[in-house]
Amino acid sequence: AYADDLLALVSSVAEWEALDSALTLYGRASNAKVNLSKTIAFPMARSADPQLKDHLTALDLQWHDSTSHEALIYLGFPIFFGKHQEKTFWDKIYAKIKAGLDIHSSRTLSVLGRATIVNALILSRLWHLAWVVPFPTQFLSKVRQIVTTFVCNFKPTAAWSTITTPRHRGGLGVIDPAVQFQVFQLKHL
């Protein structure tokens, strides 16, 4: 098998032992092995079975719950157990966007060139997330602000509506993350 990611739901030590036995049998049959050092256990309920947590951490599995500082990332999507994890996650995404804009800010580009950089290299990082995870309003506001400052590196800056209006209608054609999120969500219907 070529899959790197395995998701298994267990709620007790007995269920873990049954899964471990099945994985061991599969490993003997296929010559595959689960890398337990990369395995992360997390509770599906507010309060986890303390025996399960103790058992899994004794096996050197990572335990992730509401006391963890950062969100758990699975297949590129965050799983939040608390507001602090959500804030940390969005702060990191914002920092990556800002760093990407900072790298390109010293380049001599036209306004349309800057808009192209934003669409192709900067905001494209958000589209995978937009399929599943709603963007917080405050995050979108901060992204709009830094994108506007990057694209319109002059005063007075253009309005966000002008920046996101398609080029054939006289705008700069920057994809609005809030609109893109809605488009992706409508595709699920």
Side-chain angles (χ1 to χ4, degrees):
Y2 294 104
D4 290 338
D5 297 292
L6 169 69
L7 177 63
L9 305 176
V10 295
S11 59
S12 67
V13 173
E15 288 181 6
W16 167 258
E17 288 173 347
L19 174 64
D20 189 41
S21 175
L23 290 172
T24 301
L25 181 63
Y26 172 76
R28 278 190 262 141
S30 66
N31 204 26
K33 185 176 178 187
V34 175
N35 187 349
L36 292 181
S37 69
K38 289 186 175 182
T39 302
I40 301 173
F42 64 96
M44 294 296 289
R46 287 261 181 232
S47 58
D49 177 3
Q51 289 177 326
L52 179 62
K53 179 180 179 180
D54 292 343
H55 183 75
L56 296 178
T57 53
L59 295 172
D60 288 331
L61 272 75
Q62 299 172 52
W63 183 263
H64 195 94
D65 61 13
S66 61
T67 62
S68 304
H69 180 67
E70 295 185 4
L72 173 63
I73 306 299
Y74 182 70
L75 299 177
F77 298 111
I79 300 173
F80 305 122
F81 289 95
K83 291 289 183 190
H84 66 284
Q85 291 175 353
E86 185 176 4
K87 182 182 180 331
T88 301
F89 174 79
W90 290 113
D91 287 349
K92 285 177 80 175
I93 296 295
Y94 175 78
K96 288 179 182 179
I97 290 171
K98 185 166 180 357
L101 291 173
D102 289 346
I103 287 169
H104 296 288
S105 65
S106 62
R107 296 178 64 190
T108 305
L109 298 166
S110 67
V111 174
L112 290 176
R114 288 173 175 266
T116 301
I117 293 288
V118 166
N119 282 337
L121 302 176
I122 307 301
L123 294 180
S124 60
R125 299 171 185 203
L126 298 177
W127 304 155
H128 178 71
L129 288 171
W131 280 99
V132 177
V133 184
F135 300 136
T137 306
Q138 185 178 11
F139 170 78
L140 287 174
S141 178
K142 289 168 55 177
V143 168
R144 280 187 200 115
Q145 183 180 14
I146 61 171
V147 166
T148 299
T149 302
F150 173 77
V151 171
C152 302
N153 60 342
F154 52 83
K155 297 287 183 185
T157 61
W160 183 250
S161 59
T162 302
I163 293 170
T164 57
T165 298
R167 288 183 181 178
H168 70 275
R169 291 163 119 192
L172 299 177
V174 170
I175 300 169
D176 187 336
V179 173
Q180 189 76 338
F181 169 74
Q182 290 174 344
V183 168
F184 286 154
Q185 293 304 297
L186 288 172
K187 286 186 174 187
H188 289 298
L189 297 178

